[in-house]
Amino acid sequence: MCGIIGYIGMDQAAPILLSGLEKLEYRGYDSAGIAVHNETGIQIVKATGRLKVLYNLTQGGASILGNAGIGHTRWGTHGESTDVNAHPHFNKDTSIAVVHNGIIENYIKLKKQLEAHGYKFLSQTDTEVIVQMLDYYYNGYPLETITKIMHFIEGSYALGIIFKNHPGEIYAVCKDSSLIVGQGSRGNFIASDVPAILKYTREICYLDNEDIVRLTDSGLTFYHNEEELKKAFVTVRMDLNAAEKGSYAHFMLKEMQEQPKAIADTMNPRLRDGSIVIKELGISDNKIRQIQKIYIVACGSAYHTGVTAKYIFEGLAQIPLEVDLASEFRYRNPILDRNTLVIVVSQSGETADSLAALRKAKANGGRVLGIVNVVESSIAREADNVMYTWAGPEIAVATTKAYSAQLIALYLLALKFSQVRGFLDAEKIACMVSNLQRLPEQISLLLSHKKDIQKIAHRYLKAEHIFFIGRGIDYGIALEGSLKLKEITYVHSEAYAAGELKHGTISLIENGRLVVAVLTQPFLYSKTISNIVEVKSRGAFVMAVTNVGNTEVEKVADYVIYIPETNLYFVNSLAVIPLQLFGYYLSIGKGLDVDKPRNLAKSVTVE
């Protein structure tokens, strides 16, 4: 989950490394560091805290000279946030420096072996094992040395490496952790993500597992098992400004406001004259008819889109659907066959548990469809087929627009499957498509009323516990609203299927406790209203989110937020908006860093 950058070329490296790390700070912000190769050897500077500490320490990079270097911004897995634990890590005489994203699973065993040979460790990290192993096996030839240690290391890694005795070179390698290589007119790059180098080049390639690349100021050489190979480059067409905050106070606010465009961009290319066309699906209509079961496998917010999708697929397409947390799916034995479709949902396309689940599904005979936002990400490349959500770069750690785009992708799939399987005729499909096409405008309307949400959020700045309840699709909405709140406000929050309240949870309701009730399914109104009455009788304050026209809820709830009318299967796209806003305003009201909440990182590339 850490961010890696490397540069070698005609320009001073340190300012470029700091610029790249700024674009990668969403991946980790416990500490940061850079290592630059210059006439004195390898100069390393690292600091605990946000990147601005390192920036000030190096005068924006001006105090460190050299045309080749590597940088890192950390999300700690082993060891607390200290200068010693920060990357880059180095050997005893600072002749080798390494930056690392991933986890070395057998580092304790390797560390003991190295200590037996007299090596002493300074940090608590697993990464230091890598640099000490490089030192132990170094024979003057970096490629041979790197290949050697790869045979001993277990786990995931993306590495950037520089050697004092090879001043005109940077080496990089990856296994189960993404790394890109950039080719520019004034130098060459490695990075964890495209935005880090987009300012300097748009020509990139993706390293495959166990590929090694040697960078010089004039060229790139790729290897696999020490054999040279050719790699194809692609031109990235991402808008540079899309990854900038612009005039917004926070990336999260910007990305919430971008949701109408994100879902329109995901939806419109797949709509043709009132029908659904998903060319990238890669499954014939006959195969769709043969599918007997679907698994949706995901983590976090992406998992919550699956909870909603279960009701939609089973309701519209009559296909049994099981929703699995990727971290659980990968360690059990799911029953899959050629008539099973596994849908893996991930914003980054690099989520470690989801990627492992994808591999498990393929190994067990299932067909895998990836729904991802990042083009050419690992899940996109390894899935049998990929359906992109065109949400654009999402920088805030707490997802908003990527979540909304994932919902749209799943709506379209459910409609397509229902149409092919004969459960919806052309007239009904056209009506539902019309509802989809109105969503961007309706979301814009809800966003325009954000000040109303701000008022209620400020009322609960001192809340310590908040509960969300709902039934059916509303339960899926409640899950996401609760997660958004706890991610960015640090307020304890839980979501419950409303019917489960009486089975233990209601014991937690006290006088003044805020309960957020979601009621968007008309056939469940009366049931959820009964649950509101139950918590109200125990002293709860209830904020309800419901459809326009459901004025009955005003009789029991203390505060009601109305969402525009839409098809009951698509309400998540609207009901989640006020819940996102509520979490956002509660966070900034508490004076927290809404874009970079504590202990979290955007791209979860470790288990």
Side-chain angles (χ1 to χ4, degrees), residues 297 326 329-330 336 342-345 349 351-372 377-385:
V297 182
F329 183 91
R330 64 181 293 190
L336 310 175
V342 179
I343 303 175
V344 178
V345 187
T351 310
D353 284 320
S354 298
L355 185 57
L358 180 155
R359 292 167 179 162
K360 174 88 170 186
K362 293 185 74 171
N364 284 25
R367 183 182 186 90
V368 178
L369 171 68
I371 296 181
V372 300
S377 55
S378 296
I379 289 174
R381 284 180 283 142
E382 294 194 29
D384 295 301
N385 297 92

Side-chain angles (χ1 to χ4, degrees), residues 35-231:
V36 175
H37 210 305
N38 55 35
E39 293 178 356
T40 64
I42 298 175
Q43 186 175 354
I44 297 173
V45 183
K46 46 188 183 176
T48 305
R50 298 296 169 84
L51 182 63
K52 63 183 179 181
V53 179
L54 180 65
Y55 186 91
N56 293 335
L57 194 61
T58 61
Q59 297 178 315
S63 65
I64 302 180
L65 301 180
N67 300 94
I70 52 178
H72 186 273
T73 182
R74 181 175 186 251
W75 185 87
T77 56
H78 295 76
E80 59 191 18
S81 178
T82 64
D83 290 355
V84 172
N85 288 334
H87 297 221
H89 288 282
F90 50 89
N91 59 342
K92 184 177 180 180
D93 61 0
T94 322
S95 61
I96 305 173
V98 172
V99 291
H100 169 219
N101 176 40
I103 287 183
I104 307 306
E105 295 174 355
N106 62 334
Y107 84 99
I108 294 176
K109 175 184 175 182
L110 297 174
K111 184 176 180 178
K112 289 180 178 178
Q113 292 173 351
L114 288 163
E115 286 175 331
H117 288 284
Y119 280 84
K120 297 186 184 302
F121 287 77
L122 301 177
S123 76
Q124 301 166 297
T125 69
D126 56 335
T127 304
E128 193 178 356
V129 166
I130 298 170
V131 74
Q132 303 293 17
M133 287 188 69
L134 287 168
D135 179 274
Y136 180 73
Y137 287 105
Y138 184 58
N139 61 358
Y141 299 96
L143 180 62
E144 290 182 20
T145 306
I146 294 168
T147 303
K148 179 85 170 178
I149 73 161
M150 288 168 64
H151 294 301
F152 298 104
I153 295 173
E154 298 174 6
S156 64
Y157 51 84
L159 306 176
I161 310 167
I162 55 176
F163 296 83
K164 179 181 178 180
N165 295 338
H166 293 263
E169 301 171 346
I170 295 175
Y171 287 83
V173 60
C174 69
K175 177 180 178 291
D176 295 334
S177 184
S178 67
L179 199 64
I180 63 171
V181 178
Q183 185 171 251
S185 60
R186 296 187 61 82
N188 297 307
F189 303 81
I190 57 169
S192 298
D193 206 353
V194 172
I197 61 174
L198 198 58
K199 179 179 177 181
Y200 306 101
T201 182
R202 292 180 177 272
E203 301 302 312
I204 67 168
C205 77
Y206 299 83
L207 290 185
D208 291 316
N209 259 0
E210 300 185 1
D211 283 352
I212 301 174
V213 60
R214 172 181 173 268
L215 298 85
T216 67
D217 58 2
S218 59
L220 300 162
T221 312
F222 298 91
Y223 305 91
H224 194 89
N225 293 328
E226 296 190 59
E227 296 292 327
E228 190 171 334
L229 72 156
K230 300 292 184 182
K231 298 286 287 187

Side-chain angles (χ1 to χ4, degrees), residues 428-455:
K428 289 180 180 178
I429 287 284
C431 180
M432 298 187 82
V433 166
S434 178
N435 276 273
L436 284 176
Q437 291 173 318
R438 287 200 298 270
L439 288 176
E441 181 181 351
Q442 292 173 321
I443 290 173
S444 294
L445 177 64
L446 286 166
L447 289 166
S448 71
H449 293 156
K450 57 182 178 289
K451 294 297 182 183
D452 296 334
I453 308 298
Q454 185 176 18
K455 291 177 183 177

